[in-house]
Amino acid sequence: MSSAFSHGQTRRPPTRPALKAGAVSKLPRPLLLLLCLAYTLPGFLGRDPWRTDGLSFAVMWQMARGATDWFHPQLYGHAILGSWLTHWLGAWSIQAFGAWIGPVLASRLPFMLALGASMSLTWYAAFHFARDDAAQPVPPAFGPPIVPRDYARAIADGVLLTLLATLGLLGRGHEASTQVLQLAAMSAVLLGVSIYPRKLRTSAMVIGLGLISLSLTSAGWFVLLLALTLTLLLRHDLGRENWELMTALALGLASGLWAESQLGWSLHGQWPTLIGIGNFFRIGVWFTWPAWPLALWALWRWRESLHARHLQPAWALALLALFSALALGNNDKVFLLSLPPLAILAGFALPVMRRAGLAAIDWFAVLLYSLLALVVWVMWLAMLTGWPPKPAANIARLAPGFHLGLDPFTLGISLLATAAWAAIVIWRTGRHRHPLWKGMVLSASGVTLAWVLVGSLWMPALNYASTYRNVGTSVAHAVQTSSALSMKVGTPCLKPSGIDLTSQALIGYWSQLDFSNAHTAHCPYALGAHAPGPATQWRLLWRGGRPGERDEPIFLYQRLTPPGP
């Protein structure tokens, strides 16, 4: 069967890398799995819902306890549009595991698995792309031949390490929210293209699943563009004999149109301005580092093979995601979709990269992440002992009232991660063979080190300053005390007054009180930035807020006048 990628090849013979057998040596699987696990867990564990993922969690929680509709959810009277798959997975997980591990952690299990799935799918996509004949190195003149499977595995290892090293994946990839599922769906589409046409039915199934998943996470507009891009890439193979692929693309288009119709066709891009283009490069440079310089180098060194099947899908989907992010005002959630294809392109730069280039990236990683680790340790020491005094004063200003206790477990994890980093630096700078993936080990390990240290040493302070737990419990206590003194029976409602829906969602979860936004509701209490009416009708009961937001206090009021008829 002919492939769409065999058309349009240049007449000039493509350049292929020349490697020795030692370049395709295997990265030990236990170490790679341990690195992925150490990267995934911090950020999901040890913290409450924050504003970044609090609204999604509240919708999941309301769904799980049957307080809202699953297809048209509402939160305190506000319609929640889109992100259906995100809410469904979280709610199902809360129903299944919430009684054992708590609703917060249970809601994050599907997204931890989605991040791991994205890593695995990207690895396998790179593996199958690298097994293509056009991607293979030239046979060595002397020494043992290079086994194609070993070469593909080395490329895939380098791609996975590059994906872990990208800075943009850190924050956005560790939230129980829509973008993690979209990342996994994008990786699934890449895998489907990589195994086409060798496994036609599986390819069509994976591509269709990825497109439908993107549609169910409110990315219907992107699905329409992605399906069109895939149609152009595979146009020479679309026909009756490939009805599975045509069906997958048709289902993707239909799901994208349905998703946009449900959202009211409200998402439209715009022509970028000069300021927007400048911001695009400013954000993109750090968000996609270190994948973007390697991807550009790969495109240059493989320029005679740009239409080959191991390169064309990756650069086409990367450009689609990057241009979409630019059209949407440099949305970092859309930037995230460019990371898997950019990582695959970067992987193909490794066999054609000069040692000086890899050494520069290595030294940058050593200096940057060693300095970050030192900063994290110094700040932790300041939180624990009050020395050095200046960092301690900054922490006291940002998280007033916080007192750090010594946790032997987190301290042990942090010491172990730091020792592992030192061992990796020593190993990388030693005189060893040079496998393809070696150039990305320091970058991926450095990002993981910084993430583990922040997630263990800094997480108590970050969570203290960002959680609504104390606000919610304080509000609940004040309401219960006032209701008991007033001899009121039942659970009263809260009337929001100048407080956004995310704050309502998180305070409502921790207080177990409901907000009512209906104009006809006569709640005995009001919560917000100000009283909802004249001072003669409301009495101040409580004032507080998150520790890091002293300038934005929250007030709890009790109604003085009885509700009207």
Side-chain angles (χ1 to χ4, degrees), residues 13-34:
T15 301
R16 300 168 66 182
L19 302 173
K20 297 180 180 179
V24 297
S25 58
K26 183 178 181 180
L27 175 62
R29 300 297 99 176
L31 295 181
L32 184 60
L33 294 176
L34 181 62

Side-chain angles (χ1 to χ4, degrees), residues 278-495:
N279 290 333
F280 170 79
F281 285 103
R282 179 178 57 84
I283 296 173
V285 162
W286 73 262
F287 198 96
T288 61
W289 176 270
W292 71 264
L294 294 174
L296 290 178
W297 183 252
L299 292 176
W300 171 251
R301 289 298 305 270
W302 293 83
R303 57 190 180 276
E304 292 88 4
S305 305
L306 290 181
H307 294 285
R309 68 177 307 274
H310 67 286
L311 292 178
Q312 189 178 35
W315 64 254
L317 298 191
L319 287 178
L320 174 63
L322 291 173
F323 284 139
S324 298
L326 176 62
L328 293 176
N330 301 318
N331 191 322
D332 56 354
K333 297 179 182 179
V334 186
F335 263 116
L336 192 70
L337 299 180
S338 69
L339 297 185
L342 283 177
I344 289 177
L345 287 177
F348 285 105
L350 299 178
V352 294
M353 194 78 175
R354 296 176 180 177
R355 289 189 180 183
L358 291 176
I361 294 177
D362 280 343
W363 279 112
F364 176 81
V366 170
L367 295 176
L368 174 63
Y369 297 116
S370 297
L371 179 61
L372 286 178
L374 179 62
V375 170
V376 173
W377 277 108
V378 169
M379 296 291 285
W380 174 82
L381 184 63
M383 286 188 285
L384 185 66
T385 66
W387 185 90
K390 189 172 182 179
N394 292 332
I395 295 170
R397 178 174 52 84
L398 296 175
F402 174 73
H403 299 285
L404 179 66
L406 183 62
D407 187 347
F409 178 75
T410 57
L411 178 60
I413 292 293
S414 302
L415 290 173
L416 185 63
T418 306
W421 168 249
I424 292 172
V425 171
I426 294 173
W427 172 83
R428 179 63 182 92
T429 56
R431 293 183 177 275
H432 303 284
R433 293 181 300 175
H434 293 277
L436 296 180
W437 44 264
K438 188 176 181 181
M440 284 291 103
V441 167
L442 282 178
S443 295
S445 302
V447 168
T448 305
L449 167 73
W451 193 237
V452 169
L453 293 182
V454 170
S456 55
L457 299 179
W458 282 13
M459 188 57 71
L462 295 174
N463 191 57
Y464 174 82
S466 303
T467 182
Y468 279 86
R469 180 195 292 261
N470 294 333
V471 176
T473 54
S474 298
V475 168
H477 177 73
V479 169
Q480 292 170 3
T481 301
S482 178
S483 298
L485 293 175
S486 304
M487 296 185 182
K488 294 181 179 179
V489 181
T491 302
C493 65
L494 299 174
K495 180 180 179 63

Side-chain angles (χ1 to χ4, degrees), residues 237-249:
D237 290 338
L238 295 179
R240 291 183 178 180
E241 65 277 9
N242 290 343
W243 62 268
E244 298 98 334
L245 180 60
M246 295 183 64
T247 302
L249 295 175

